[in-house]
Amino acid sequence: MVVAAELLLDLLIIMGLQSHLYVFLPLRQELLKWNGWGYNDSKFIFNKKGQAEFTGKRYRLGGMVLPTFKEWMEKTFGASLDHKTTSRATLNVNDVPPSIVKEEFLQDLRAAKISYSQDAEDRVFRAHGHCLHEIFILREGMFKRVPDIVVWPVCHEDVVKIVELACKHNLCIIPFGGGTSVSSALECPEEEKRTIVSLDTSQMNRILWIDEKNLTACVEAGIVGQDLENQLAESGFCTGHEPDSMEFSSLGGWVATRASGMKKTIYGNIEDMVIHIKMVTPRGIVEKNCQVPRMSTGPDIHHFIMGSEGTLGVVTEVTIKIRPVPEYQKYGSVVFPNFERGVACLREVAKQRCAPASIRLVDNAQFQFGKYVDLLRQISLSKGFNLLLFKGFDPNILCVATLLFEGDREKVLQHEKQVYDIATKFGGLAAGEDNGQRGYMLTFVIAYLRDLGLDYYVIGESFETSVPWDRVLDLCRNVKERIVRECKEKGVQFAPLSTCRVTQTYDAGACVYFYFAFNYRGISDPIHVYEQIERAAREEILANGGSLSHHHGVGKLRKRWMKESISDVGLGMLRSVKEYVDPNNIFGNKNLL
Amino acid sequence: MAPPIARRSRPPPSLPQRARQPSRGGAGRWVPREVAAAGRPLRRGRAAERGAGRRGGARNTMAAATAAAAPGRGRRGAPMYSQKELTSKKRDEFEDILEERRLSSDLRYAMKCYTPVIYKGLSPCKPNAIKSAVLQSEQVQYVIKQLAKEMGESPDIIQEEAMEILDEMGHNMQLGAVRFFAFTLSKIFKQLFQRVCVNEEGMQRLQHAIQEHPVVLLPSHRSYIDFLMLSYLLYTYDLALPVIAAGIDFLGMKIVGELLRRAGAFFMRRSFGGNRLYWAVFAEYVKTMLRNGYAPVEFFLEGTRSRTAKTLTPKFGLLSIVMEPFFKREVFDTYLVPISISYERILEESLYAYELLGVPKPKESTSGLLKARRILSDNFGTIHIYIGQPVSLRTLASGRINRCPYNLVPRHLPQKPSEDIQEFVSDVAYKMELLQIENMVLSPWVLVAAVLLQNLPAMDFELLIEKTLWLKGLTQTFGGFIEWPDNLCAKKAIMSGLTLHSNIARLVDGHVVLNDKGVEDGGVGEVVFKHALAILTCATYRNQLLNVFVRPSLVAIALQMTRSFRKEEVYNYFSFLRDVFSDEFIFFPGISLKDFEEGCFLLTKCDAIQTNQQEIYPTNKGGVIVSFLSAMFTPFVEGYQLIFRYLSKEAKEAFTEKQFIPGVRNFVFQLLEKGNTQCYEALSSDMQKNALAALVLLGAVKKEKMSNGFTYNVNQEAVNKILDMFDARIPVQKPVAARL
C-alpha cells in the first residue's frame, strides 16, 4: 500500500497535479491510525520512566510529560503497567473478506472516470467508525463484512453517476465522510449479499463560493471541519461549527447525523446553520429552489435529510452560514462547591439567555482526571487550592465549569462579568483563564486516551443525551449509579470510571455527556459485557426522561429504541419516505429504521 | 441462664458484604471508596460485646426462602411472586435483646451514645426544615394555586391551611423523647415479655440497606406494641430511627400523642380521599422524607391492627406514595423491607374478641392507657421479630413499568397512576405481605389452638399432645416457621403454652377445655356470647396457621366437595374458593393455577394425595390429613354460607355496612341460640365484612358510593348461585382450566 501510494504520488507530481486527474489519492488515510483514534504521530505512551507522555507536535499537550497520570490510571482503574495487551501491528490482509465486484461495474466506473480501489486496507479503513467494539475488532479480530470497493467521486456529478450505476447494477452504497461515527453507522450489514460500495466523499472538499453579502458559503460535503475553518479563515470567516471531532469529521457527516458543535450557543447546531442542501438519491436530486433564511412550504425537506444517516442518499453540496472570525476570544473557568450548585448556575445562565459561546460543567471525577492529566493545571490549581479549602470547597466534591466567550472585546468583557456574577450567586468561584483553556484542549486529546487504555485492559466509551432541566441532576446521578451497579453485577472487578459533564445549555434543557470506562481483566468477553452495560445505561437515560441521542445519532447501535422514541406512526412516516426515495434500498446501511 | 460461652458459632457480623469482595490489592477496588465509612460492625450494647451468656441453644435452623426479589414480568408472564422454595428453607437465627437489658442498666442504655447508621446521600435537616421544604415544594404550591383559583380564595389562606395540616401531621423527632422511650420501654417490655427475639442477620442486612438507598419498613400489624418495638429495636442496634405513619386517633391521647410525635410518629387522617390539599401535603411530606433519606419510612400495609391475627388484605395508598419517587427516578432505588412481628400472646387479645363481636373499641386515650396498666402484671411470653430481606423496588419494577407517562408530564404535577402502575403497586403489596407471612413465627400454642378448636368442648391432654406434634410435622412440611421453646419436650412446651394462655384454655381432669367463664350462669344469649368470645380468642391463634395452610387446605376441601378425582373439576372448585376467600386470606393476584399446583405439591409431599396428568386422589393414609385440613377451614366455609344465606334471604334492598353488620350478627346469633349452627366464628365482624367484599368482587352484590358512604345492593339470584356452588349442588364452571 505504501509503495503503491508513493508510486502514485510520483505519478501525481509527474502529471502536475492537474485538477481533472481521475486517479486520486486517499492521502489523508495515510496520516491516520488504522486501529485507533486520530493522527498516527499523536498518541499517549508510557515512556521509559513509566511516565505518561503525549507524542507529536500537533497539540499543545504534545511532548509534555504527565508524571501523575500513571497514578491516576492505577487509582481509578486498578490498571497496571505490567499488564499490557498489544494490538496487532498491521492489518492482516488475508483475513479481510474478499472483494466481490462484477466486472461490468468496474468497466462502467472506469468509463465514468471515477477512481476506485479494491485494496483490502482501503476497504477495512471504511468498514467502521469509532465505537469501542469496532476498534476492538481492528486490534484483535476482523469484521465479518467490509465494503467490496471504495469509490472516490470528486464532485456532485460523479456522485450522480455512481448512484445511477449502483441502481443499474443493484449495488449497495454506504456513504463515508470522516469515519468518526460512534453509532455503528458505518458497519456493513453482515447479511448484505450485494456488492457494497463505500462512497468516500473526501475528494469533494472544495469551497465552491463565498457570498459575503449574505454571509453564506457553498461547500462540497466531503470537506473536513478543520479544513473548512482554515480555508474560510483565509477570507476572514468561519462557520463556528466545532464538534469535538472537527479535525476529522466532514460537513456531509454533520448534516447526515444532525451534528452539534461546542459553540452552538452563538452559531447554532447544524440545522440552524444550513441554508441549502443538495442530495443525490436513487430517485434523483433533492434540493430547494432558492437560498433563503426560512420558508413556509410544508414540512422542511431539510429535516428529512438531516439525521437520515446515509439511508436516503449522498449529501454533495451544502450552503452554510458563515460569520466573520470573532475579534476576541476569552476562556474562563468557575469552581462550584458541588455539582448541584453548578447545574443550578447553568440553568440560571440558560434562563437569562446569556450562555457564552461554550459553557461546560464537569463533575468531580472529571475534575480529578484533569488534575492528573495536566501538569500546568496542577500547579495553578495547587496555588488556588488553598483558597478553595479556605472557602470550604471539598476537593472531592467540587466541580468545575469551563467557559469560552467570543465576539468583540468590549461585549465579551461585559458578557463575562454577567456570567461570573450569576456564578457567584451559586457559590461559584472564578478559577482563571488557563484552567478554562486547558479544559477545552483536553476535549481534543481525550479521544486519544481510549487507545492508551486499550493497551492496559481498560475499555471505555462516551455517550450523550439531552434532558429537561429539572431532570438533569437525577439523570446524571442515576445513570452513573446504574453503570457502577451493572459493572458490579457483570463481574467487573474494579469500580468503573463513571462520570459526566453538562456540555450544552438550551432554554428547556441541557445536553449531558457521559464517560464510562473499566478495567476488564478477568472478564472473558469484555466487549459483550461492555455492550450490556452501555445498553443498561441507555435504558436508564430513557427511564429518566432523557433522549436517545442529542447529536451522535442512532445508527445501528441505538435502533432498538427508535420506536419508543418517536412512536409507531413516527417511525412509519420515516419508513414511507425511505420507501419512496430509495425503494430498492440502494443506500442499505440499515441505519436508523 | 447458661454459663458464659462463646457467643457465636458463626463469624461475627461485621463488615458489610461488599467489604468481603475478593481483594487483591491496588486502588480503585470496589471496597475503599464506598465502604470506608460504612463498614462498621453491627452493634448492640456492651454486654453483648463482652459475650455475656446466651440461652442454651435451640436456634431455629429451619429456614427461610430469603426470597430475594424475584424479578417479575407481567402477570401473565412470569409473575413476580415466584413459588417459594418449599423444600430448602433457610431462615436466620434469633437473638434475645431483652437478655442484655436484664443484665445492664436501662438508664445507661437510654443515655448511650447514639450515632445511627444513615443513608449515604442524606442531607441532614431538622423536622421543621422538612415541613417548610414540603410547604414550598412545587407539588404543594401547585395544588395550592389550583385550589385558590377554583375556590376564588387567596393562596395565602390555603397555604395557611396547608401549614396547619403539616403541623397536625408532622413528626418532631427528638433524641430526648427517644431516650425517654428507650428507658420506659425497657422497663415495660421486661415486665410484659419473657423474651424479644430478633434475627441479627436481618438487622445487618437492614443496616446495609439503610446506607444504600431510602428504606421503607413494612411490619405486620397485630398490636400497638409493633411500632414501639420496632423503633426500640433500631435504637438498640444503632440504626436510623424510622418515621412512622400513625393513625390520627393517637393525637386524641394527650401527652402520649405528643410523645409519639417526638419519637418519630407522623399522623395521617383515616380518610382523606376527597381532600386534595391534604393528599398533596401528606404525599409530599412522606416523599420528601424518603427522597432526602431523612429516615426510614415505616407504615403498615394492612392499614390497621389485624383483630384476627390473620394478615389483612393490603392498602395501597401509602405504598404507591413511597414508590413514586422511584417511578419518577428521583431516587435510584428504594428498598422495601418486610418485617414479621409475631406475638406468643397478643396484648390486645380479649379487646379484639369483643370488638369482633361488636363491642366497640375504646377510643385511644391516655386514661385508657393508664387503666390498661394492670396488664403489666401479666405475662405475654415471647416476641419474635424477623427482619426480612430488603427487596429492591428497581428489581421488582424492571421491565414492568412503561416509562412514558412519567416522562411527558412535569414531575410535580399530580398524576393519577396508570393502570399498569396500579396493578404493579397491588402486586408489590401482596408480595410484601406474603413475605411477612412466610417469616411469621408460630409458637406451639398456635398448633394447640388449631387442634383444640377441632375437638371441642373437651380434649384428652395426651391426645392433644399427640395431635399437636403431628400438626407440627405437617406445618413444617408446609413451610411454616415454628419456634419450639428451648429443648422442651412436647408436654412441657404445651403445658407452658397452656399456662401462658390460661385465660383461654385450662386443664381439667386430664382434659383441656376452653375457659369460657361465666357460661354456666346467665341466659341463653349470654352463654352464646361468652362462648363466642372464648372461641374467637382461641381462633386468633389458630388463625396464624391459616395462610400457611390455605393452599393445600382449599385443595383438600375441593376434593371433598366435588367428590371427583378429575383434576379439572377439583381445580375449578379450588379456584372458586380462592375467589370467595380472596379477602379472607392472602393470595397473590392472578395466579390461581400456581396456587393450586402449590397446594397439590404440598399435599403430595405429605403423602396425602397422589396426582397424575388428569387425576388427583387421596391416598389411604391421606384421609386424616385431608379431613383435618378441611376441618381447619370449616368455620370459614360454614360462616360464609351463613352470611350468604342472610344476604340472599334477609337483607333489604339497599343497605350500608353499618346496617349489614348488626343484621347478619343477629341472624347468626339466633341460629346459634336455637342450636341450628355451631359456627360461632360467623359472628366475627371481620368475616362478615370479608364475605360481603367477596360478593362485591364476584359481582353478586353491587357497591355504590353515596354521599354518606357506600351502599350495597344484593343480586339475590347471583348469591343463590354462589351458595349452590358452595354446596357443590351445581358444578363450578370455569374456562380457565384449559391450561391444566
Side-chain angles (χ1 to χ4, degrees):
Chain A
M1 177 70 213
V2 178
V3 177
E6 274 167 7
L7 270 173
L8 282 167
L9 200 60
D10 291 344
L11 191 71
L12 268 172
I13 294 162
I14 294 162
M15 298 179 76
L17 281 166
Q18 286 171 10
S19 60
H20 278 285
L21 256 185
Y22 61 87
V23 182
F24 273 87
L25 257 186
L27 275 174
R28 227 182 135 64
Q29 182 182 332
E30 297 294 297
L31 294 175
L32 303 181
K33 289 197 194 77
W34 70 276
N35 65 348
W37 179 260
Y39 299 108
N40 266 325
D41 56 7
S42 305
K43 62 181 170 210
F44 283 100
I45 55 158
F46 282 108
N47 62 24
K48 282 174 192 143
K49 285 188 212 154
Q51 291 177 326
E53 197 180 319
F54 194 67
T55 64
K57 294 198 176 71
R58 290 176 191 274
Y59 300 90
R60 264 190 60 184
L61 202 60
M64 206 180 277
V65 176
L66 313 166
T68 54
F69 185 74
K70 181 173 151 233
E71 187 195 329
W72 180 80
M73 283 268 289
E74 289 168 350
K75 205 175 117 191
T76 310
F77 298 110
S80 153
L81 296 198
D82 303 333
H83 300 290
K84 198 167 189 287
T85 63
T86 32
S87 163
R88 199 190 359 249
T90 52
L91 183 70
N92 188 350
V93 176
N94 297 329
D95 291 346
V96 180
S99 159
I100 297 166
V101 188
K102 273 187 284 182
E103 186 51 38
E104 294 90 334
F105 177 60
L106 295 179
Q107 276 170 13
D108 284 347
L109 275 181
R110 284 193 288 268
K113 299 190 176 170
I114 288 166
S115 55
Y116 65 86
S117 162
Q118 288 173 273
D119 179 281
E121 279 181 39
D122 290 341
R123 292 188 293 123
V124 170
F125 190 85
R126 287 160 187 80
H128 65 87
H130 281 270
C131 285
L132 175 71
H133 66 270
E134 293 169 322
I135 300 300
F136 215 79
I137 287 174
L138 284 173
R139 287 167 65 98
E140 297 187 1
M142 180 41 66
F143 299 103
K144 294 214 173 84
R145 188 76 167 90
V146 302
D148 295 292
I149 182 169
V150 182
V151 297
W152 282 276
V154 296
C155 59
H156 172 77
E157 285 69 30
D158 281 358
V159 175
V160 173
K161 281 183 219 157
I162 293 168
V163 173
E164 271 168 11
L165 288 179
C167 291
K168 175 178 157 199
H169 295 283
N170 189 24
L171 313 177
C172 168
I173 297 180
I174 298 185
F176 181 91
T180 55
S181 147
V182 281
S183 59
S184 298
L186 288 170
E187 263 179 277
C188 301
E190 267 173 48
E191 63 285 357
E192 180 59 71
K193 294 281 184 302
R194 299 172 295 182
T195 294
I196 297 181
V197 181
S198 177
L199 191 154
D200 185 324
T201 59
S202 62
Q203 306 309 310
M204 306 197 296
N205 55 7
R206 293 166 300 172
I207 295 177
L208 297 178
W209 46 257
I210 294 177
D211 176 351
E212 297 192 12
K213 286 202 186 72
N214 295 307
L215 286 178
T216 55
C218 183
V219 187
E220 285 183 319
I223 195 165
V224 168
Q226 202 167 43
D227 298 347
L228 175 61
E229 291 303 90
N230 288 342
Q231 288 174 40
L232 284 175
E234 285 168 17
S235 329
F237 293 103
C238 69
T239 64
H241 187 71
E242 290 185 18
D244 290 357
S245 62
M246 72 173 293
E247 305 157 278
F248 310 105
S249 57
S250 69
L251 174 59
W254 300 341
V255 170
T257 54
R258 287 182 71 85
S260 169
M262 179 177 99
K263 299 195 282 198
K264 74 97 200 154
T265 320
I266 294 184
Y267 301 97
N269 289 319
I270 196 73
E271 68 271 19
D272 308 309
M273 311 175 101
V274 159
I275 294 293
H276 184 267
I277 302 173
K278 201 188 261 185
M279 178 164 81
V280 181
T281 76
R283 226 0 122 175
I285 294 158
V286 54
E287 61 180 325
K288 292 184 187 173
N289 72 330
C290 52
Q291 314 233 20
V292 293
R294 183 177 195 273
M295 53 205 269
S296 176
T297 45
D300 192 336
I301 54 159
H302 282 173
H303 285 285
F304 290 125
I305 299 169
M306 286 186 290
S308 61
E309 304 191 357
T311 56
L312 298 178
V314 187
V315 176
T316 53
E317 288 168 17
V318 180
T319 304
I320 191 166
K321 291 196 237 173
I322 55 173
R323 300 285 307 161
V325 174
E327 170 196 316
Y328 186 62
Q329 266 197 342
K330 192 167 182 191
Y331 290 95
S333 63
V334 182
V335 181
F336 291 98
N338 56 42
F339 194 64
E340 289 75 13
R341 303 282 277 165
V343 170
C345 174
L346 261 62
R347 204 282 160 266
E348 184 61 29
V349 166
K351 203 175 186 174
Q352 296 191 19
R353 292 202 171 164
C354 64
S358 169
I359 179 165
R360 286 176 174 178
L361 181 77
V362 304
D363 69 359
N364 186 265
Q366 275 181 61
F367 159 75
Q368 303 278 354
F369 164 73
K371 231 169 59 182
Y372 282 102
V373 168
D374 196 328
L375 184 67
L376 291 175
R377 168 182 278 243
Q378 247 189 325
I379 297 163
S380 62
L381 264 183
S382 65
K383 240 194 282 166
F385 249 152
N386 294 327
L387 178 68
L388 291 178
L389 290 176
F390 178 71
K391 291 255 177 187
F393 284 66
D394 180 345
N396 293 313
I397 298 178
L398 63 80
C399 73
V400 183
T402 55
L403 312 165
L404 172 60
F405 299 90
E406 254 185 39
D408 62 69
R409 199 181 142 81
E410 210 163 297
K411 275 190 189 144
V412 162
L413 295 178
Q414 227 175 5
H415 192 181
E416 192 187 18
K417 184 171 179 314
Q418 189 186 5
V419 171
Y420 279 111
D421 283 350
I422 294 174
T424 314
K425 281 190 198 130
F426 291 88
L429 208 63
E433 274 179 71
D434 286 352
N435 286 321
Q437 188 169 10
R438 280 182 206 107
Y440 285 101
M441 199 177 62
L442 268 184
T443 308
F444 292 104
V445 296
I446 213 162
Y448 286 95
L449 262 181
R450 184 169 73 190
D451 294 326
L452 180 74
L454 277 167
D455 285 344
Y456 296 95
Y457 288 94
V458 174
I459 50 180
E461 183 86 279
S462 59
F463 50 91
E464 41 72 40
T465 187
S466 49
V467 58
W469 277 117
D470 70 315
R471 294 172 199 250
V472 169
L473 283 176
D474 287 333
L475 182 131
C476 289
R477 180 196 61 232
N478 290 344
V479 171
K480 287 198 277 187
E481 171 105 26
R482 177 75 179 263
I483 289 171
V484 171
R485 302 212 141 209
E486 291 287 331
C487 280
K488 204 169 186 181
E489 268 167 36
K490 302 282 180 311
V492 175
Q493 299 203 358
F494 300 87
L497 174 72
S498 172
T499 157
C500 69
R501 67 172 195 227
V502 180
T503 59
Q504 294 283 15
T505 63
Y506 293 85
D507 287 351
C511 166
V512 180
Y513 221 90
F514 290 92
Y515 289 100
F516 147 52
F518 64 87
N519 181 335
Y520 70 84
R521 281 186 61 215
I523 295 177
S524 58
D525 191 354
I527 292 303
H528 181 64
V529 168
Y530 167 80
E531 281 172 349
Q532 282 180 314
I533 298 170
E534 191 191 339
R535 192 191 303 178
R538 183 58 64 182
E539 289 282 349
E540 193 62 37
I541 286 175
L542 296 173
N544 279 274
S547 65
L548 188 53
S549 172
H550 171 262
H551 60 272
H552 281 176
V554 174
K556 288 178 273 287
L557 196 60
R558 286 176 276 273
K559 252 166 90 165
R560 77 179 84 236
W561 293 289
M562 267 303 269
K563 194 162 115 183
E564 178 185 346
S565 291
I566 62 169
S567 81
D568 267 340
V569 178
L571 202 60
M573 288 161 82
L574 296 188
R575 281 213 179 102
S576 63
V577 170
K578 164 81 178 170
E579 247 154 62
Y580 172 77
V581 172
D582 182 16
N584 297 319
N585 196 26
I586 299 299
F587 288 89
N589 59 14
K590 295 236 168 128
N591 290 339
L592 203 60
L593 298 176
Chain B
M1 181 77 45
I5 50 165
R7 207 161 161 276
R8 306 170 195 285
S9 49
R10 60 205 145 89
S14 55
L15 284 177
Q17 233 106 56
R18 249 186 224 156
R20 292 193 201 126
Q21 292 257 339
S23 66
R24 260 179 261 154
R29 298 252 166 217
W30 284 104
V31 202
R33 260 189 260 167
E34 297 155 58
V35 176
R40 72 184 217 193
L42 188 68
R43 64 163 191 246
R44 234 160 59 189
R46 277 183 294 158
E49 276 154 36
R50 277 204 308 271
R54 57 176 306 280
R55 70 204 152 86
R59 306 208 154 183
N60 197 307
T61 43
M62 24 161 317
T66 22
R73 266 161 240 145
R75 259 185 208 169
R76 263 149 279 274
M80 70 170 138
Y81 168 62
S82 61
Q83 243 167 44
K84 293 163 274 178
E85 194 45 63
L86 291 152
T87 39
S88 60
K89 288 198 172 181
K90 174 84 189 78
R91 290 195 178 98
D92 303 335
E93 293 163 8
F94 284 109
E95 297 284 338
D96 178 13
I97 60 164
L98 280 191
E99 185 181 302
E100 203 178 299
R101 291 272 44 79
R102 296 191 205 279
L103 291 175
S104 64
S105 153
D106 287 334
L107 192 61
R108 193 182 298 151
Y109 162 78
M111 298 316 291
K112 74 172 180 170
C113 168
Y114 171 66
T115 48
V117 163
I118 49 172
Y119 173 50
K120 65 176 181 201
L122 174 73
S123 36
C125 58
K126 293 256 181 303
N128 274 329
I130 290 191
K131 282 195 216 163
S132 58
V134 171
L135 202 58
Q136 296 311 322
S137 68
E138 281 177 306
Q139 286 81 344
V140 170
Q141 285 298 325
Y142 176 83
V143 173
I144 287 177
K145 272 180 210 145
Q146 285 280 311
L147 288 174
K149 215 183 284 169
E150 282 168 30
M151 309 193 318
E153 286 219 50
S154 127
D156 295 345
I157 293 174
I158 296 172
Q159 170 124 348
E160 204 116 301
E161 216 176 297
M163 193 65 222
E164 276 161 28
I165 292 174
L166 263 174
D167 282 337
E168 172 195 273
M169 172 185 337
H171 74 84
N172 183 19
M173 205 194 284
Q174 288 178 357
L175 200 54
V178 170
R179 293 195 191 284
F180 168 79
F181 271 106
F183 181 76
T184 38
L185 288 181
S186 290
K187 296 287 183 211
I188 293 173
F189 288 163
K190 280 192 284 189
Q191 275 295 318
L192 287 175
F193 305 111
Q194 281 170 293
R195 290 183 302 157
V196 173
C197 296
V198 61
N199 62 329
E200 282 203 337
E201 280 160 70
M203 290 306 291
Q204 219 162 57
R205 290 192 293 258
L206 182 59
Q207 184 190 17
H208 298 162
I210 285 177
Q211 290 167 66
E212 229 179 320
H213 297 301
V215 164
V216 178
L217 303 176
L218 300 170
S220 58
H221 203 11
R222 302 286 171 271
S223 165
Y224 284 143
I225 297 293
D226 290 324
F227 61 87
L228 295 174
M229 182 54 83
L230 206 51
S231 293
Y232 182 78
L233 197 64
L234 294 184
Y235 175 79
T236 306
Y237 280 90
D238 241 0
L239 300 183
L241 288 181
V243 289
I244 308 146
I248 199 102
D249 335 326
F250 281 105
L251 278 185
M253 304 168 82
K254 302 196 180 89
I255 307 172
V256 175
E258 211 45 44
L259 256 176
L260 287 175
R261 195 195 284 280
R262 290 187 185 193
F266 63 95
F267 301 92
M268 61 189 290
R269 296 182 190 163
R270 282 284 166 200
S271 63
F272 47 88
N275 189 338
R276 272 152 69 198
L277 183 66
Y278 190 87
W279 175 260
V281 171
F282 179 76
E284 192 50 29
Y285 185 65
V286 175
K287 286 189 279 184
T288 303
M289 291 190 291
L290 194 80
R291 276 192 298 250
N292 293 2
Y294 175 79
V297 174
E298 174 184 328
F299 65 91
F300 299 102
L301 272 175
E302 297 166 88
T304 180
R305 293 170 301 160
S306 164
R307 270 65 168 170
T308 59
K310 240 168 354 85
T311 302
L312 303 174
T313 48
K315 305 275 182 293
F316 305 124
L318 249 169
L319 187 65
S320 64
I321 290 177
V322 297
M323 284 161 86
E324 211 183 82
F326 169 72
F327 292 150
K328 294 185 170 171
R329 293 301 194 276
E330 293 161 339
V331 296
F332 183 79
D333 199 353
T334 303
Y335 275 130
L336 307 175
V337 186
I339 298 173
S340 320
I341 308 179
S342 334
Y343 295 86
E344 199 176 353
R345 187 178 160 203
I346 298 164
L347 216 58
E348 296 100 321
E349 58 181 4
S350 57
L351 276 183
Y352 287 165
Y354 275 105
E355 255 184 71
L356 289 174
L357 289 172
V359 182
K361 122 177 166 180
K363 235 182 141 212
E364 283 85 353
S365 73
T366 309
S367 61
L369 186 77
L370 290 174
K371 273 181 214 146
R373 73 180 183 277
R374 69 185 161 76
I375 57 164
L376 278 177
S377 56
D378 227 339
N379 176 7
F380 288 89
T382 302
I383 301 181
H384 284 97
I385 302 159
Y386 196 97
I387 314 280
Q389 178 87 31
V391 178
S392 146
L393 181 54
R394 175 174 275 267
T395 313
L396 290 177
S398 104
R400 271 201 65 171
I401 305 298
N402 177 10
R403 42 208 173 201
C404 215
Y406 290 100
N407 287 348
L408 290 179
V409 178
R411 292 184 293 181
H412 66 273
L413 298 193
Q415 206 181 341
K416 195 174 182 297
S418 65
E419 248 167 60
D420 66 326
I421 293 279
Q422 285 178 23
E423 187 183 285
F424 177 66
V425 171
S426 150
D427 283 3
V428 172
Y430 276 98
K431 185 189 165 73
M432 290 300 132
E433 288 203 342
L434 284 163
L435 288 172
Q436 284 175 0
I437 289 168
E438 208 175 293
N439 292 321
M440 283 291 216
V441 168
L442 306 167
S443 68
W445 171 251
V446 165
L447 307 175
V448 172
V451 173
L452 194 57
L453 279 175
Q454 288 193 26
N455 294 279
L456 290 178
M459 188 180 188
D460 179 65
F461 185 52
E462 296 299 327
L463 188 63
L464 176 70
I465 294 173
E466 188 189 314
K467 281 296 253 182
T468 303
L469 274 180
W470 171 82
L471 182 57
K472 180 186 171 204
L474 194 62
T475 309
Q476 284 172 335
T477 313
F478 289 176
F481 187 4
I482 297 179
E483 180 83 353
W484 203 258
D486 306 356
N487 294 332
L488 282 188
C489 70
K491 191 172 173 176
K492 277 194 181 148
I494 291 165
M495 267 317 286
S496 94
L498 272 172
T499 320
L500 190 67
H501 297 278
S502 56
N503 58 327
I504 298 176
R506 62 199 155 120
L507 196 58
V508 180
D509 306 331
H511 281 75
V512 179
V513 294
L514 275 193
N515 201 353
D516 40 5
K517 275 178 247 139
V519 166
E520 299 80 15
D521 39 86
V524 191
E526 190 146 340
V527 170
V528 169
F529 185 82
K530 285 276 158 65
H531 200 60
L533 210 55
I535 286 185
L536 285 184
T537 315
C538 191
T540 310
Y541 293 93
R542 176 215 53 203
N543 283 350
Q544 298 179 23
L545 276 184
L546 296 181
N547 272 308
V548 175
F549 276 70
V550 67
R551 289 164 193 81
S553 291
L554 292 194
V555 174
I557 296 173
L559 260 176
Q560 284 189 332
M561 294 304 286
T562 53
R563 295 199 186 80
S564 160
F565 298 133
R566 282 188 51 233
K567 219 176 191 176
E568 191 186 317
E569 256 177 79
V570 178
Y571 170 67
N572 283 346
Y573 198 83
F574 171 89
S575 185
F576 164 72
L577 286 176
R578 191 183 176 276
D579 288 345
V580 169
F581 291 134
S582 61
D583 272 39
E584 197 70 49
F585 309 107
I586 304 302
F587 298 104
F588 191 85
I591 55 161
S592 186
L593 186 59
K594 276 205 147 164
D595 280 342
F596 178 69
E597 279 165 359
E598 188 183 316
C600 290
F601 169 74
L602 291 174
L603 287 176
T604 321
K605 204 171 135 194
C606 61
D607 287 330
I609 57 162
Q610 283 181 322
T611 60
N612 59 28
Q613 283 296 316
Q614 280 87 34
E615 289 185 320
I616 173 168
Y617 41 89
T619 57
N620 289 336
K621 60 171 232 181
V624 185
I625 295 178
V626 168
S627 54
F628 180 87
L629 292 182
S630 81
M632 192 181 221
F633 285 76
T634 301
F636 294 92
V637 175
E638 287 181 1
Y640 270 55
Q641 282 173 321
L642 286 180
I643 297 163
F644 291 175
R645 243 166 54 207
Y646 165 78
L647 282 171
S648 102
K649 303 218 165 67
E650 314 269 324
K652 286 187 296 173
E653 274 293 287
F655 57 90
T656 62
E657 198 184 271
K658 276 206 180 101
Q659 296 166 317
F660 163 71
I661 300 281
V664 69
R665 188 189 299 132
N666 282 339
F667 174 76
V668 177
F669 211 88
Q670 278 165 18
L671 290 177
L672 284 166
E673 274 181 336
K674 286 183 210 142
N676 289 348
T677 178
Q678 285 300 311
C679 186
Y680 284 88
E681 293 187 42
L683 285 174
S684 153
S685 58
D686 181 65
M687 185 187 287
Q688 292 155 2
K689 284 179 204 162
N690 289 341
L692 184 61
L695 288 185
V696 172
L697 220 68
L698 293 170
V701 170
K702 238 165 84 193
K703 183 176 175 181
E704 271 173 301
K705 194 170 169 131
M706 296 300 195
S707 54
N708 56 344
F710 292 103
T711 58
Y712 297 85
N713 281 292
V714 179
N715 175 346
Q716 245 96 12
E717 204 178 317
V719 174
N720 283 334
K721 202 173 157 204
I722 290 171
L723 265 171
D724 285 347
M725 285 197 242
F726 235 139
D727 297 339
R729 277 196 293 264
I730 57 169
V732 180
Q733 297 276 315
K734 271 217 156 181
V736 237
R739 277 184 24 221
L740 266 175

